[in-house]
Every structure is written in C-alpha cells, then in structure tokens.
C-alpha cells in the first residue's frame, strides 16, 4: 500500500514538473516573440527616420542652391 502511495505521489510530482516545464517553455517563446516584435518596430521606426532626414537634407540643399545661384 505504501509503495502504491509513493508511486502515485511520484506520478503527481512528475506531472506537475511537466506542466511547469511546458509553461516555462511557452513563456520563453512568448517573450522571444515580443522581443522580435519590438526589434521589428524599432527597425521600421529608424528606417522611416532616415528617410525623413534624407528628404529634409535634400530640400535644404535645394533651397540653399536656389538662394545661392538666384542672388
């Protein structure tokens, strides 16, 4: 009887450990997906900023050139 009880407790403990392992793996996967999403958003932001800065720089050069050669 005692060995059956010990076997039952061991099975319960293994099941609980397996559940904790699955939860931990799912959490790690979710965290990695969130980090990847943040990296993607950050890359999009900086790509947009580079385009805006490039356009402003080109406009400044064009305006400077027009003013310089018009005067």
């Amino acid at each position: 009887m005692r060995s059956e009880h010990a076997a039952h407790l061991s099975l319960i403990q293994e099941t609980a450990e397996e559940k904790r392992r699955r939860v931990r793996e799912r959490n790690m996967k979710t965290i990695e997906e969130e980090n990847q999403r943040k990296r993607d958003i950050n890359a999009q932001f900086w790509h947009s900023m580079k385009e805006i800065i490039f356009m402003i720089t080109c406009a400044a050069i064009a305006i400077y050139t027009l003013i310089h050669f018009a005067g």
Side-chain angles (χ1 to χ4, degrees):
M1 182 69 174
R2 197 171 268 283
S3 65
E4 289 179 16
H5 183 66
H8 180 68
L9 289 177
S10 176
L11 181 61
I12 290 173
Q13 183 179 9
E14 289 173 5
T15 304
E17 287 176 9
E18 180 66 22
K19 286 180 183 178
R20 281 193 297 273
R21 185 186 63 77
R22 279 184 284 174
V23 168
R24 192 168 38 250
E25 287 176 359
R26 192 174 2 170
N27 287 345
M28 290 172 63
K29 182 180 177 188
T30 302
I31 289 169
E32 182 54 40
E33 289 171 353
E34 181 67 16
N35 287 340
Q36 183 61 44
R37 186 184 69 80
K38 288 178 182 178
R39 284 190 291 268
D40 292 345
I41 290 172
N42 192 32
Q44 289 174 349
F45 171 78
W46 285 111
H47 179 72
S48 298
M49 291 307 295
K50 284 192 285 185
E51 287 182 348
I52 291 169
I53 291 171
F54 178 74
M55 286 185 229
I56 291 171
T57 304
C58 288
I61 291 170
I63 291 170
Y64 173 79
T65 303
L66 287 173
I67 291 171
H68 181 71
F69 289 113

